[in-house]
Amino acid sequence: MRRLPGAREDRGCVDDADLRRRISLGIEPQRQAMSHHAIDITMIDLLRVGGVTQWMKVAGMAEAFNKPVASHLLPEIHVHLVAAVPNGLVVEYMPWTWRLFDNPPMPVNGEMTVPTGPGLGLKFAPDLFDKYGVG
């Protein structure tokens, strides 16, 4: 089997630096990782892959390779995306952005519920711009 550049010999796993590049970039690095069997789970970052459309393309490609997908950061939005694909596995939850929103989805017993409001079902916190605004 041809190894992906930067991959270790054990199961073709990529090293940490290579893994960070694959999370950070878009469709082509993800395709390379999948086609070389360098990953078991495809982690997709909405902000770095190029938005919702690109995220969904990578998730569809992962499905074609029979790989589950996980999100990377921003769980308030990723909860929608992971729920929308048949190979969605897990929403990575890091409590860094929840203060930006009024009543954001939060994990309860290890599960998150997809908001049902319009759009993403999110509203900015009422004091957000007073607290963090510039000018």
Side-chain angles (χ1 to χ4, degrees):
M1 176 170 88
R2 188 170 151 241
R3 296 285 175 186
L4 193 60
R8 294 190 315 245
E9 288 300 312
D10 59 320
R11 293 176 37 109
C13 294
V14 294
D15 63 25
D16 287 342
D18 196 44
L19 179 59
R20 282 191 297 275
R21 283 192 299 275
R22 297 201 187 290
I23 291 171
S24 299
L25 299 175
I27 291 175
E28 182 56 23
Q30 293 280 6
R31 185 198 62 76
Q32 287 180 18
M34 288 180 223
S35 65
H36 291 285
H37 307 287
I39 55 173
D40 293 325
I41 298 170
T42 303
M43 182 172 260
I44 315 169
D45 185 319
L46 172 71
L47 299 176
R48 294 181 177 178
V49 77
V52 172
T53 300
Q54 298 298 90
W55 196 100
M56 295 298 284
K57 287 179 180 182
V58 172
M61 183 171 45
E63 183 184 10
F65 279 94
N66 200 29
K67 303 285 183 194
V69 296
S71 68
H72 184 59
L73 304 177
L74 208 58
E76 300 83 3
I77 296 175
H78 275 118
V79 66
H80 293 275
L81 302 176
V82 171
V85 296
N87 53 332
L89 176 65
V90 66
V91 174
E92 177 188 54
Y93 183 77
M94 298 297 284
W96 296 343
T97 52
W98 68 270
R99 289 181 185 91
L100 301 175
F101 304 105
D102 185 30
N103 196 27
M106 301 289 276
V108 176
N109 296 324
E111 295 184 359
M112 290 183 76
T113 301
V114 178
T116 58
L120 295 172
L122 298 170
K123 292 181 183 175
F124 286 119
D127 63 344
L128 176 70
F129 298 105
D130 292 332
K131 203 173 199 178
Y132 302 107
V134 176

